Amino acid sequence: DVMKSPIITVKCSSNALRCFEIMIQKKISGLGVVDEDGLLFHNTSTSDIKMLITASDLEDLSLKQSIEDFLVQLRSLQASHKTRVPVSSCNEDDEMKKAIAILAKTGYYRVW
């Protein structure tokens, strides 16, 4: 979706299961994860829960932990071994070409 607002975010300390419940309730595929100051720190999407369901080496991963701990652990088990995937954002005053350029450069699927 393009320019769907407001952006729905959760705090890093939010329960992982609750975050995925919010996505279901709001009918969205991703959430911004913000630190205690409200700055974008991570993002999570339905792909993260799909990975949990389909991967065989994630027995220790729990939806009872914070979304930050969940994402760090999940991503540390991925091939890239990054515990934090950088996120990209634009301002509401930016032109669409900036968002497209970010998507093209990074290979990301979402710009916040």
Side-chain angles (χ1 to χ4, degrees):
D1 294 322
V2 176
M3 299 297 290
K4 198 171 204 176
S5 59
I7 295 173
I8 299 172
T9 61
V10 293
K11 290 188 177 180
C12 289
S13 58
S14 299
N15 176 272
L17 178 59
R18 181 69 188 127
C19 294
F20 294 114
E21 289 172 343
I22 290 169
M23 282 190 255
I24 292 167
Q25 290 169 353
K26 302 284 186 181
K27 298 180 181 175
I28 56 176
S29 62
L31 290 170
V33 180
V34 297
D35 64 15
E36 295 304 319
D37 296 323
L39 298 174
L40 189 61
F41 190 70
H42 289 285
N43 73 90
T44 188
S45 71
T46 53
S47 296
D48 294 324
I49 195 72
K50 288 177 191 173
M51 185 176 299
L52 172 65
I53 293 168
T54 59
S56 60
D57 58 347
L58 300 178
E59 307 88 29
D60 297 331
L61 197 57
S62 170
L63 291 174
K64 294 179 182 179
Q65 61 196 69
S66 72
I67 190 63
E68 180 177 19
D69 291 343
F70 174 85
L71 292 172
V72 167
Q73 188 175 357
L74 178 72
R75 292 177 179 153
S76 71
L77 296 170
Q78 293 174 322
S80 67
H81 296 290
K82 292 181 181 179
T83 57
R84 183 164 179 258
V85 176
V87 293
S88 293
S89 62
C90 290
N91 296 312
E92 63 181 290
D93 296 332
D94 290 335
E95 294 184 16
M96 181 64 83
K97 66 181 179 181
K98 179 178 179 181
I100 293 170
I102 291 171
L103 292 169
K105 181 179 178 181
T106 62
Y108 296 164
Y109 299 103
R110 182 176 285 116
V111 175
W112 298 96

